[in-house]
Amino acid sequence: MDIARTPSTPDGNYQMADAPPEPVDPPLIRREDYKPFDWLVPQTRLDFALGVESTRVTATLSVARNPAGEQAGEIRLNGDGLTPIEVAVDGQASNSWRMDGNDLILPLAGEAHEIRLVTEIDPAANSQLMGLYASNGMLCTQCEAEGFRRIAFFPDRPDVLSTYTVRMSGERQAFPVLLSNGNLVAQGEDSSGHWAEWHDPWPKPSYLFALVAGDLVARRDTFTTMSGRTVDLAIWVRAEDLDRTEHAMESLIRSMRWDEEVFGREYDLDQFNIVAVGDFNMGAMENKGLNVFNTKYVLADPETATDGDYDGVEGVIAHEYFHNWSGNRVTCRDWFQLSLKEGFTVLRDQLFSEDMRGAAVKRIEDVRLLRSVQFPEDSGPLAHPIRPDSFREIGNFYTPTIYNKGAEVIRMMRTMAGPERFRQGTDLYFERHDGEAATCEDFIRAIEDGAGLDLTQFRLWYAQAGTPKVEAVLDHDGETATLTLRQMVPPTPDQPTKLPVPIPLRLALFDRATGRHNGEQLVVLTEVESVVRFAGFAEKPVLSINRGFSAPVAIERTVEPDDLVFLARHDDDAFARYEAMQELIVGHLVSAIGGGLPDAARTEARQAIGGALSAILTDPELDDAMRGELMMLPSQTYLSEQLLVADPGTIHAEREALKAWLGRTLEGELAALHQRASSQSAGMGHAARGARKVKGQALVFLAAGNPELAATMAASQYDAAETMTDRQAALMVLTGLPGAERTRKLIDFYNRFQNDPLVIDKWFSLQASSLHPQVIEHVKALARHPDFNLKNPNRVRSLFMAFTGTPLGFHAPSGEGYRMIADLILALDPINPSTAARFVTPLGRWRRLEPGRAALMRGELERIAAKAGLSRDTFEQVTRSLG
Ligand code: BES
Ligand code: ZN
């Protein structure tokens, strides 16, 4: 690897006296090096004199020796870009401190002290959106994972728990509302304006600290907990957004009730506040008693938010609320344990949404997400176990693996224990570790003890990366069906060899004649190879395997298309029905993409798919929400995953050709479905939402099969739309079709919603993700649009993340798409490194691409790596991606 940053041996003869310091790679931090902090910080007092361009922070820390630590003669306080203005120990100004890089080191003898530190920060200049920053004139914080050290010198690590008292003061005009964690204890007026004091009685790590000051209004409600306490709820937004907060409040109340009923978890403060901000790196943040949200996950009304957006609000509100127990009351010992809180909380929010919206459809959505983002990560250069062994920048490990695979791993424990015993395990976990900073190992042990499982071998799921493959062969002889299962965990970076893991597979064997099975079984594969025999089958049964996606593995089997058509029709497990359709289509597309598929075979495969799809379109028993799922073609990324070497152009062409064939062949049924659903799609109820989903799907097929017809239908759907779901679905189809209607509707959409940033984000992303052949030109023009803004992460993602999904744009054979993303990374890195680094992932897929594109992609990664002064975030992702 030829990267300028690699330190070389200094050579006295050549090095000039004033040569700039040799850049050094950011250090690798290892899980095995964990040591408890030498000091405890039982209490922290923070005083903020607020100003958008200058905020003065006075932090007072009471510290005491940690009996579990070493007898150190000093204390290390992390900082990031801070300069100390005053340092005092026990009331005496100190000048014996020194800086070590960004950290402040203070000599400290004795057992207990009070340290006082004053710093000054400029929130307006904070474009990273980590620490204290300004957004739309308001001030807010984001501290996870290591943002608190941009506010005050502090042991900024999750195992240092402290109770916080926060006082803030500022001009009443600019900051009429002053919020922090916990409960408001006092407020008043003083010479500089007004002030408020908050106290959080629950000890917490610094990453859960939050402060918000600004001109905000609240939607208020109350919740009575299971023990009869009343909690005051408030969702804070800008005045013009207040009427779009009803859904968020309802979601919060449903989450609070559900966590009591399903996990026995009660809220523990008198107040719960949520604030929505327009500039936010992530979706939302679970700060104790003061969740801070991206506006995208708070604001919703039918005219501006799609049904998918409604689900997103409900799921994210639930997720952050659930962290109050899985994350805050029990937090993480160190950042290697991130999946302890994130994987578990994702599972909890998934189960909540299954209960709210229907388990089958939610499970299918979650599996689709896992396969389209986590499986590729697990098979690429950034693969890592759900409990990583090392990192350079923790921000890079908020990944689909930690989150979504982490949730799947805990879901498998639940599947093996059953929900009741699993609940006993989680009860024990919360009881044992309440108020502690715990590890994944603590969680596993609590589930073992509480649920009565032996998870000895299961622990490998925490240590090994890579998606296991399970080969399934079903033989039939006489009256016996024999299922042979073989597992293989593929090699991943730094892990060339793997051990077999326990794989819980729910399976059923269907009788072809009756269309029924005689009971589902759970088989837990623990060896490389297992053989299971089933007696009493005169005829070879049809195998339904990994029902409900009981394990996050890839099943590999040879199966007759007829059997898949059978399962798509008869399986009583909704996920398995979806899976059968996917397998049927993937099987065909993979052989078509491979080339040399004879015309007769192509026709036969298409007819099988067409027949199954036709049955789905017209089945009166099917709920539209489920019908909509069954109508979805496997994604471009999922298809690429099935191939050793991918040519995005060919994959796209074959997928589109199938879509067009289905659109033409089933035109009548699709148009009839669209018409029927249109008459049922008013309102926000379950049936109307389902109707809108199938309308959108029908239009997608028709657009490929009969573009003129689809354009006319989409234009009238757009004009008649009463919901953003209908309007966006219509505009999406039109955006992909060249023609005058495209321009007219895009202009109309912009004019209608120009004052609504979240909707303008949709306007950017619809164009950037479209199937239009000129998508590259469109994206270039949009990047120069006056509404484009590199400082707003939502806007950046809506244009460029959307673009990375386009086979014709991002993967243009010229390499222009790759260059555009590399240029973006280089421009964004100095502004917002954590957002910039997230764009490296799509460039990391080069090993799996055909040689031409692979070289172009790699070239762009090398160009980024050669740039001096890269952030730790981008540096780590680029070097890992180059491998
Ligand atoms: N704790 C995270 C937010 C976070 C992540 C802050 C990384 C800083 C760095 C929060 O609980 C979270 O996981 N948010 C998700 C949404 C959630 C529904 C999966 C997010 O922001 O994407
Ligand atoms: Zn989370």
Side-chain angles (χ1 to χ4, degrees):
M1 200 169 44
D2 181 25
I3 290 171
R5 305 181 63 115
T6 310
S8 55
T9 324
D11 182 329
N13 291 330
Y14 291 93
Q15 202 154 24
M16 289 180 291
D18 58 352
E22 190 80 46
V24 176
D25 283 2
L28 198 66
I29 300 161
R30 291 174 212 276
R31 181 163 56 87
E32 63 187 27
D33 294 342
Y34 172 81
K35 278 204 317 207
F37 193 58
D38 296 331
W39 297 88
L40 304 173
V41 188
Q43 271 153 37
T44 300
R45 193 184 159 87
L46 298 171
D47 204 312
F48 289 85
L50 298 170
V52 172
E53 266 146 27
S54 170
T55 289
R56 180 172 276 248
V57 186
T58 306
T60 311
L61 285 59
S62 73
V63 304
R65 287 209 179 268
N66 183 357
E70 280 166 20
Q71 288 288 312
E74 56 186 37
I75 186 169
R76 174 180 291 265
L77 301 172
N78 304 118
D80 181 357
L82 299 179
T83 345
I85 297 174
E86 284 173 45
V87 181
V89 178
D90 300 324
Q92 298 287 304
S94 159
N95 47 25
S96 59
W97 54 272
R98 65 176 202 276
M99 296 297 290
D100 177 25
N102 273 312
D103 296 346
L104 186 147
I105 308 215
L106 187 60
L108 217 55
E111 288 304 307
H113 299 280
E114 190 185 89
I115 303 173
R116 190 166 164 277
L117 292 135
V118 181
T119 49
E120 207 160 272
I121 47 186
D122 178 356
N126 184 350
S127 63
Q128 293 188 28
L129 314 184
M130 284 293 273
L132 180 70
Y133 65 93
S135 171
N136 269 317
M138 75 190 249
L139 293 178
C140 66
T141 56
Q142 170 56 41
C143 293
E144 188 177 2
E146 297 180 338
F148 190 80
R149 60 185 67 184
R150 294 167 56 80
I151 299 174
F153 287 106
F154 198 83
D156 191 15
R157 38 186 291 166
D159 59 346
V160 174
L161 274 58
S162 188
T163 45
Y164 285 68
T165 305
V166 178
R167 186 185 192 274
M168 59 198 123
S169 61
E171 270 176 48
R172 179 182 279 284
Q173 196 89 12
F175 312 116
V177 175
L178 300 172
L179 305 170
S180 190
N181 314 90
N183 299 312
L184 176 67
V185 289
Q187 54 187 330
E189 303 288 330
D190 68 11
S191 53
S192 61
H194 72 148
W195 59 269
E197 188 169 303
W198 290 76
H199 177 72
D200 179 2
W202 299 102
K204 64 169 175 290
S206 51
Y207 82 87
L208 291 173
F209 164 78
L211 172 157
V212 172
D215 189 1
L216 299 165
V217 297
R219 172 181 294 268
R220 293 182 187 276
D221 214 316
T222 59
F223 178 79
T224 307
T225 70
M226 58 188 184
S227 69
R229 281 186 308 101
T230 302
V231 182
D232 290 321
L233 312 176
I235 299 183
W236 299 90
V237 296
R238 298 191 307 170
E240 62 266 37
D241 293 329
L242 192 60
D243 54 2
R244 292 198 283 168
T245 53
E246 188 181 343
H247 177 62
M249 184 59 87
E250 287 171 356
S251 300
L252 174 60
I253 292 171
R254 284 196 290 268
S255 304
M256 295 178 85
R257 187 166 305 128
W258 185 91
D259 211 19
E260 292 185 346
E261 288 171 3
V262 178
F263 279 90
R265 299 294 113 202
E266 185 177 1
Y267 187 63
D268 54 5
L269 288 166
D270 304 330
Q271 302 179 22
F272 188 74
N273 289 300
I274 289 177
V275 179
V277 296
D279 300 279
F280 200 72
N281 280 340
M282 302 285 294
M285 177 64 209
E286 70 266 25
N287 318 298
K288 183 78 186 192
L290 178 54
N291 290 1
V292 176
F293 272 62
N294 190 320
T295 45
K296 180 174 164 54
Y297 294 109
V298 174
L299 306 179
D301 68 12
E303 287 79 55
T304 60
T306 62
D307 297 332
D309 294 331
Y310 269 72
D311 294 344
V313 170
E314 183 178 70
V316 180
I317 294 254
H319 178 97
E320 306 310 338
Y321 173 72
F322 296 159
H323 270 314
N324 191 56
W325 274 95
S326 48
N328 302 2
R329 286 289 286 262
V330 183
T331 193
C332 298
R333 186 192 72 172
D334 56 69
W335 292 117
F336 297 103
Q337 319 298 327
L338 183 58
S339 202
L340 174 72
K341 75 175 176 85
E342 294 301 347
F344 186 29
T345 304
V346 170
L347 174 66
R348 280 153 51 67
D349 84 54
Q350 290 178 349
L351 295 174
F352 165 76
S353 296
E354 287 177 14
D355 284 351
M356 297 299 118
R357 307 198 266 120
V361 167
K362 174 63 178 162
R363 186 68 185 134
I364 292 169
E365 289 171 4
D366 288 335
V367 174
R368 191 165 44 235
L369 180 72
L370 186 83
R371 283 175 169 165
S372 65
V373 302
Q374 198 277 325
F375 278 24
E377 179 167 82
D378 230 355
S379 70
L382 303 179
H384 54 277
I386 65 169
R387 183 185 51 208
D389 295 313
S390 65
F391 60 72
R392 293 184 202 275
E393 166 52 54
I394 181 56
N396 290 330
F397 284 80
Y398 288 78
T399 59
T401 296
I402 303 290
Y403 275 68
N404 304 77
K405 186 177 181 178
E408 293 298 325
V409 167
I410 302 177
R411 187 185 283 262
M412 285 190 283
M413 298 182 195
R414 182 173 179 268
T415 300
M416 293 186 297
E420 291 80 20
R421 278 167 52 204
F422 180 71
R423 166 69 193 272
Q424 292 176 338
T426 61
D427 281 355
L428 183 61
Y429 169 70
F430 289 124
E431 189 191 309
R432 235 183 224 178
H433 299 290
D434 188 9
E436 289 179 12
T439 62
C440 296
E441 177 57 30
D442 291 330
F443 181 83
I444 299 169
R445 218 174 296 131
I447 300 297
E448 282 186 315
D449 296 347
L453 286 177
D454 177 355
L455 298 172
T456 311
Q457 186 191 8
F458 191 84
R459 282 170 171 75
L460 286 168
W461 278 104
Y462 280 83
Q464 293 187 160
T467 306
K469 291 183 165 57
V470 176
E471 193 184 271
V473 179
L474 185 68
D475 290 314
H476 180 252
D477 187 19
E479 295 268 298
T480 307
T482 305
L483 177 61
T484 308
L485 298 163
R486 274 190 71 80
Q487 66 160 296
M488 198 276 284
V489 188
T492 47
D494 302 326
Q495 293 187 336
T497 60
K498 301 285 168 64
L499 294 167
V501 289
I503 299 178
L505 293 172
R506 289 170 44 199
L507 46 91
L509 293 168
F510 281 82
D511 184 317
R512 243 168 259 269
T514 64
R516 283 203 289 272
H517 63 82
N518 54 2
E520 184 185 277
Q521 342 197 342
L522 180 69
V523 170
V524 183
L525 242 159
T526 55
E527 310 289 321
V528 170
E529 185 172 298
S530 313
V531 178
V532 201
R533 292 198 173 75
F534 306 88
F537 288 96
E539 224 197 318
K540 184 175 179 178
V542 181
L543 172 67
S544 168
I545 187 168
N546 206 15
R547 293 154 67 79
F549 201 71
S550 57
V553 302
I555 303 285
E556 300 189 336
R557 58 165 173 169
T558 324
V559 54
E560 290 302 317
D562 282 354
D563 286 2
L564 294 172
V565 172
F566 172 96
L567 291 172
R569 268 221 142 118
H570 297 290
D571 206 314
D572 55 338
D573 180 84
F575 173 79
R577 261 184 106 168
Y578 165 82
E579 186 70 338
M581 264 320 270
Q582 297 291 300
E583 249 182 295
L584 183 64
I585 300 169
V586 169
H588 162 60
L589 286 178
V590 165
S591 47
I593 290 160
L597 188 67
D599 282 350
R602 180 185 298 269
T603 308
E604 196 185 331
R606 282 179 171 175
Q607 276 165 354
I609 296 166
L613 183 59
S614 165
I616 288 161
L617 298 181
T618 52
D619 183 349
E621 302 289 300
L622 263 182
D623 175 55
D624 274 341
M626 183 64 196
R627 192 189 320 277
E629 296 299 328
L630 294 172
M631 289 170 71
M632 276 182 210
L633 292 184
S635 70
Q636 172 95 13
T637 43
Y638 184 58
L639 288 166
S640 313
E641 275 298 290
Q642 313 305 309
L643 303 157
L644 277 178
V645 177
D647 178 337
T650 314
I651 298 172
H652 174 69
E654 284 296 344
R655 189 173 177 276
E656 287 305 303
L658 174 65
K659 209 202 269 179
W661 186 88
L662 291 166
R664 277 195 305 277
T665 311
L666 301 176
E667 184 178 307
E669 283 154 273
L670 288 161
L673 175 62
H674 186 274
Q675 195 179 12
R676 189 271 293 162
S678 295
S679 70
Q680 299 171 344
S681 61
M684 296 304 286
H686 175 82
R689 291 179 37 138
R692 288 195 284 273
K693 184 152 131 194
V694 298
K695 275 166 82 174
Q697 292 292 328
L699 272 186
V700 165
F701 282 105
L702 289 169
N706 185 343
E708 288 75 34
L709 173 67
T712 314
M713 289 171 66
S716 52
Q717 175 168 321
Y718 180 95
D719 291 333
E722 287 174 358
T723 60
M724 181 51 78
T725 306
D726 271 351
R727 197 182 301 280
Q728 181 182 272
L731 189 58
M732 184 182 85
V733 161
L734 289 171
T735 307
L737 299 172
E741 206 59 64
R742 175 184 194 277
T743 317
R744 270 202 293 276
K745 294 297 191 255
L746 280 170
I747 291 173
D748 176 87
F749 191 91
Y750 181 84
N751 289 338
R752 257 175 214 268
F753 299 112
Q754 56 182 310
N755 296 320
D756 189 330
L758 292 174
V759 187
I760 295 304
D761 287 340
K762 297 181 190 300
W763 183 80
F764 276 91
S765 79
L766 278 171
Q767 298 175 71
S769 61
S770 93
L771 297 176
H772 197 287
Q774 262 107 52
V775 63
I776 287 194
E777 277 63 45
H778 296 156
V779 171
K780 282 188 184 159
L782 288 166
R784 292 191 301 267
H785 192 281
D787 289 345
F788 183 72
N789 173 8
L790 262 188
K791 293 201 168 150
N792 179 266
N794 283 4
R795 192 55 51 85
V796 171
R797 281 189 290 259
S798 70
L799 182 59
F800 286 107
M801 219 29 118
F803 176 68
T804 63
T806 54
L808 302 179
F810 180 60
H811 291 292
S814 65
E816 196 172 3
Y818 307 150
R819 190 159 67 241
M820 286 162 69
I821 294 302
D823 287 342
L824 168 73
I825 293 168
L826 290 169
L828 190 56
D829 193 51
I831 298 173
N832 186 333
S834 71
T835 303
R838 292 190 166 257
F839 283 91
V840 178
T841 315
L843 290 175
R845 303 298 298 157
W846 58 271
R847 273 187 200 75
R848 299 286 295 273
L849 291 179
E850 52 83 20
R853 286 182 178 86
L856 291 164
M857 210 182 237
R858 207 189 139 85
E860 294 303 330
L861 285 170
E862 282 165 347
R863 182 161 70 91
I864 301 169
K867 169 95 174 246
L870 280 184
S871 68
R872 255 195 298 169
D873 314 57
T874 298
F875 174 80
E876 179 176 40
Q877 296 305 74
V878 168
T879 48
R880 286 165 77 206
S881 299
L882 281 166

